[in-house]
Short mmCIF file of all heavy atoms in Angstrom, two decimals:
data_model
loop_
_atom_site.label_atom_id
_atom_site.label_comp_id
_atom_site.label_asym_id
_atom_site.label_seq_id
_atom_site.Cartn_x
_atom_site.Cartn_y
_atom_site.Cartn_z
N LYS F 94 49.54 84.95 -45.58
CA LYS F 94 49.90 86.28 -46.09
C LYS F 94 51.42 86.36 -46.29
O LYS F 94 52.12 85.84 -45.49
CB LYS F 94 49.48 87.38 -45.09
CG LYS F 94 47.98 87.44 -44.74
CD LYS F 94 47.31 88.17 -45.87
CE LYS F 94 45.80 88.25 -45.56
NZ LYS F 94 45.03 88.66 -46.57
N THR F 95 51.81 87.04 -47.33
CA THR F 95 53.25 87.26 -47.66
C THR F 95 53.44 88.60 -48.38
O THR F 95 52.53 89.06 -48.97
CB THR F 95 53.70 86.07 -48.49
OG1 THR F 95 55.17 86.33 -48.77
CG2 THR F 95 53.05 85.89 -49.79
N VAL F 96 54.61 89.15 -48.21
CA VAL F 96 54.91 90.39 -48.92
C VAL F 96 55.39 90.14 -50.31
O VAL F 96 55.39 91.04 -51.16
CB VAL F 96 55.98 91.23 -48.16
CG1 VAL F 96 55.45 91.75 -46.84
CG2 VAL F 96 57.29 90.44 -47.98
N LEU F 97 55.75 88.90 -50.64
CA LEU F 97 56.20 88.52 -51.95
C LEU F 97 54.95 88.32 -52.89
O LEU F 97 53.93 87.80 -52.42
CB LEU F 97 57.06 87.30 -51.91
CG LEU F 97 58.39 87.43 -51.13
CD1 LEU F 97 58.99 86.08 -51.00
CD2 LEU F 97 59.28 88.38 -51.80
N SER F 98 55.16 88.50 -54.18
CA SER F 98 54.14 88.18 -55.12
C SER F 98 54.02 86.64 -55.18
O SER F 98 54.90 85.92 -54.81
CB SER F 98 54.45 88.77 -56.48
OG SER F 98 55.54 88.04 -57.04
N LYS F 99 52.84 86.18 -55.67
CA LYS F 99 52.63 84.74 -55.84
C LYS F 99 53.72 84.08 -56.59
O LYS F 99 54.15 82.98 -56.27
CB LYS F 99 51.25 84.51 -56.45
CG LYS F 99 50.13 84.65 -55.49
CD LYS F 99 48.85 84.03 -56.15
CE LYS F 99 47.72 83.99 -55.18
NZ LYS F 99 47.79 82.88 -54.30
N LYS F 100 54.14 84.77 -57.68
CA LYS F 100 55.18 84.21 -58.54
C LYS F 100 56.47 83.88 -57.83
O LYS F 100 57.15 82.98 -58.10
CB LYS F 100 55.46 85.26 -59.69
CG LYS F 100 56.53 84.86 -60.62
CD LYS F 100 56.53 85.78 -61.83
CE LYS F 100 57.06 87.12 -61.47
NZ LYS F 100 57.33 87.96 -62.67
N LEU F 101 56.78 84.72 -56.78
CA LEU F 101 57.99 84.51 -56.02
C LEU F 101 57.86 83.70 -54.74
O LEU F 101 58.84 83.35 -54.11
CB LEU F 101 58.64 85.87 -55.66
CG LEU F 101 59.02 86.78 -56.78
CD1 LEU F 101 59.45 88.13 -56.29
CD2 LEU F 101 60.14 86.15 -57.63
N SER F 102 56.56 83.40 -54.40
CA SER F 102 56.38 82.63 -53.12
C SER F 102 55.74 81.35 -53.28
O SER F 102 55.47 80.63 -52.32
CB SER F 102 55.59 83.54 -52.17
OG SER F 102 54.34 83.83 -52.69
N GLU F 103 55.40 80.90 -54.51
CA GLU F 103 54.79 79.60 -54.73
C GLU F 103 55.89 78.58 -54.97
O GLU F 103 57.02 78.79 -54.60
CB GLU F 103 53.78 79.71 -55.90
CG GLU F 103 52.57 80.51 -55.57
CD GLU F 103 51.56 80.53 -56.73
OE1 GLU F 103 51.92 80.31 -57.85
OE2 GLU F 103 50.39 80.71 -56.39
N GLY F 104 55.54 77.52 -55.58
CA GLY F 104 56.42 76.38 -55.87
C GLY F 104 56.55 75.41 -54.75
O GLY F 104 55.92 75.62 -53.71
N PRO F 105 57.28 74.36 -54.90
CA PRO F 105 57.38 73.25 -53.97
C PRO F 105 57.87 73.61 -52.64
O PRO F 105 57.48 73.07 -51.59
CB PRO F 105 58.24 72.19 -54.62
CG PRO F 105 58.74 72.74 -55.86
CD PRO F 105 58.07 74.06 -56.09
N HIS F 106 58.77 74.65 -52.54
CA HIS F 106 59.39 75.00 -51.28
C HIS F 106 59.08 76.45 -50.87
O HIS F 106 59.72 77.01 -50.06
CB HIS F 106 60.87 74.80 -51.27
CG HIS F 106 61.26 73.37 -51.43
ND1 HIS F 106 61.25 72.48 -50.38
CD2 HIS F 106 61.64 72.61 -52.53
CE1 HIS F 106 61.61 71.27 -50.83
NE2 HIS F 106 61.81 71.36 -52.11
N GLY F 107 58.11 77.08 -51.55
CA GLY F 107 57.76 78.45 -51.31
C GLY F 107 58.83 79.42 -51.80
O GLY F 107 58.94 80.56 -51.29
N LEU F 108 59.70 78.97 -52.72
CA LEU F 108 60.79 79.79 -53.20
C LEU F 108 60.51 80.35 -54.60
O LEU F 108 61.38 81.00 -55.20
CB LEU F 108 62.01 78.97 -53.28
CG LEU F 108 62.53 78.39 -51.96
CD1 LEU F 108 63.61 77.39 -52.05
CD2 LEU F 108 62.94 79.49 -51.04
N GLY F 109 59.35 80.14 -55.17
CA GLY F 109 59.00 80.62 -56.45
C GLY F 109 58.74 79.46 -57.45
O GLY F 109 59.11 78.36 -57.16
N ASP F 110 58.07 79.81 -58.51
CA ASP F 110 57.77 78.82 -59.51
C ASP F 110 59.04 78.42 -60.27
O ASP F 110 59.72 79.24 -60.85
CB ASP F 110 56.79 79.41 -60.50
CG ASP F 110 56.38 78.48 -61.68
OD1 ASP F 110 56.77 77.27 -61.63
OD2 ASP F 110 55.74 78.95 -62.60
N PRO F 111 59.40 77.14 -60.22
CA PRO F 111 60.65 76.60 -60.90
C PRO F 111 60.63 76.86 -62.40
O PRO F 111 61.68 76.94 -63.01
CB PRO F 111 60.72 75.15 -60.55
CG PRO F 111 59.83 74.97 -59.43
CD PRO F 111 58.74 76.05 -59.47
N ASP F 112 59.43 76.93 -62.97
CA ASP F 112 59.34 77.04 -64.45
C ASP F 112 59.21 78.47 -64.90
O ASP F 112 59.22 78.74 -66.12
CB ASP F 112 58.14 76.25 -64.96
CG ASP F 112 58.33 74.77 -64.63
OD1 ASP F 112 59.47 74.29 -64.75
OD2 ASP F 112 57.30 74.14 -64.28
N ASP F 113 59.20 79.44 -63.97
CA ASP F 113 59.12 80.82 -64.31
C ASP F 113 60.43 81.31 -64.88
O ASP F 113 61.50 81.07 -64.32
CB ASP F 113 58.85 81.64 -63.05
CG ASP F 113 58.84 83.17 -63.29
OD1 ASP F 113 58.38 83.51 -64.45
OD2 ASP F 113 59.22 83.92 -62.41
N ARG F 114 60.42 81.89 -66.10
CA ARG F 114 61.65 82.36 -66.78
C ARG F 114 61.79 83.86 -66.78
O ARG F 114 62.68 84.35 -67.40
CB ARG F 114 61.70 81.82 -68.21
CG ARG F 114 61.74 80.23 -68.19
CD ARG F 114 62.00 79.62 -69.50
NE ARG F 114 63.06 80.14 -70.28
CZ ARG F 114 64.36 79.80 -70.12
NH1 ARG F 114 64.75 78.89 -69.23
NH2 ARG F 114 65.30 80.27 -70.86
N SER F 115 60.89 84.57 -66.13
CA SER F 115 61.04 86.05 -66.01
C SER F 115 62.15 86.38 -65.07
O SER F 115 62.43 85.60 -64.15
CB SER F 115 59.71 86.64 -65.54
OG SER F 115 59.46 86.26 -64.22
N LEU F 116 62.79 87.50 -65.33
CA LEU F 116 63.97 87.93 -64.53
C LEU F 116 63.65 89.22 -63.81
O LEU F 116 63.08 90.15 -64.46
CB LEU F 116 65.23 88.06 -65.42
CG LEU F 116 65.76 86.78 -65.95
CD1 LEU F 116 66.71 87.09 -67.09
CD2 LEU F 116 66.43 85.97 -64.87
N ARG F 117 64.03 89.39 -62.55
CA ARG F 117 63.83 90.57 -61.82
C ARG F 117 65.02 91.47 -62.18
O ARG F 117 66.05 91.06 -62.69
CB ARG F 117 63.87 90.29 -60.31
CG ARG F 117 62.68 89.46 -59.84
CD ARG F 117 62.77 89.10 -58.40
NE ARG F 117 63.99 88.28 -58.23
CZ ARG F 117 64.67 88.29 -57.08
NH1 ARG F 117 64.41 89.05 -56.10
NH2 ARG F 117 65.76 87.46 -56.99
N LYS F 118 64.86 92.81 -61.82
CA LYS F 118 65.88 93.79 -62.15
C LYS F 118 67.23 93.44 -61.50
O LYS F 118 68.25 93.51 -62.20
CB LYS F 118 65.41 95.14 -61.64
CG LYS F 118 66.31 96.27 -62.03
CD LYS F 118 65.76 97.62 -61.63
CE LYS F 118 66.65 98.72 -62.07
NZ LYS F 118 66.09 100.06 -61.70
#
């Protein structure tokens, strides 16, 4: 369980998808 969305908590180190190009506010 995590408070972050999957997009921000996945990836090789749990830091987010390296290929995601969307930007947060």
Side-chain angles (χ1 to χ4, degrees):
K94 300 279 185 193
T95 178
V96 293
L97 297 172
S98 70
K99 282 193 173 279
K100 179 169 71 171
L101 297 174
S102 62
E103 290 184 335
H106 295 281
L108 300 169
D110 178 9
D112 299 322
D113 176 33
R114 295 188 52 82
S115 64
L116 292 164
R117 296 175 296 146
K118 185 175 182 177

